[in-house]
Amino acid sequence: MKFASVRLIASDIKALVAFYELVTGQTADWLAPQFAEIVTPGATLAVGSAETVAAFAEGSAEPGANRTAILEFMVEDLDAAFERLSGKAELVHDRKLMPWGNRTFQVRDPEGSAVSIFMPFTDATKARFGSR
């Protein structure tokens, strides 16, 4: 099995795609007016408009209702990423070192999902991510 992507459902797909283009520095591939993908070296982030939910099962997903997942993006320069997003997203927490060795900050995307931007900081964490 291969993990392919994470899909977010958006009430305002253009705003959500623009946010993740800013986060990743990648341009989205719009496969339909209601569906886009942002392909990064590590994973693909798919974004569908709320109207796409009906193609699966009505009510099976809801924009703006996620409080169980944190999307994580690894960067080489945490301070540069912080400056790029400063004032463009709701800040959940400022830059800090986590007990597991990542230096991170967290924001919310336009639909309210938590987004963690991090870089491996300790030698052990750098070694762990070096093989991924």
Side-chain angles (χ1 to χ4, degrees):
M1 179 183 304
K2 182 178 179 181
F3 186 78
S5 69
V6 170
R7 183 180 312 178
L8 301 175
I9 300 299
S11 58
D12 183 344
I13 190 170
K14 289 180 181 178
L16 197 61
V17 169
F19 173 81
Y20 283 105
E21 286 178 328
L22 178 65
V23 167
T24 64
Q26 303 291 320
T27 301
D29 295 324
W30 286 88
L31 306 176
Q34 64 278 61
F35 187 82
E37 292 181 333
I38 298 174
V39 179
T40 72
T44 297
L45 179 62
V47 182
S49 68
E51 69 187 275
T52 64
V53 175
F56 303 109
E58 196 65 47
S60 63
E62 180 182 337
N66 179 15
R67 291 289 192 237
T68 63
I70 301 171
L71 282 75
E72 297 183 310
F73 294 89
M74 185 168 59
V75 297
E76 291 187 21
D77 185 339
L78 188 79
D79 294 321
F82 184 83
E83 293 305 319
R84 187 174 65 251
L85 293 170
S86 185
K88 296 181 176 116
E90 175 191 342
L91 185 65
V92 175
H93 71 76
D94 205 337
R95 293 161 284 188
K96 63 180 166 182
L97 181 61
M98 302 306 284
W100 47 91
N102 290 338
R103 187 165 175 251
T104 185
F105 69 92
Q106 198 174 98
V107 296
R108 290 211 181 273
D109 74 15
E111 297 284 339
S113 294
V115 178
S116 179
I117 311 296
F118 77 96
M119 63 182 285
F121 190 75
T122 64
D123 289 340
T125 305
K126 288 176 185 177
R128 189 174 83 237
F129 280 100
S131 64
R132 294 183 188 180

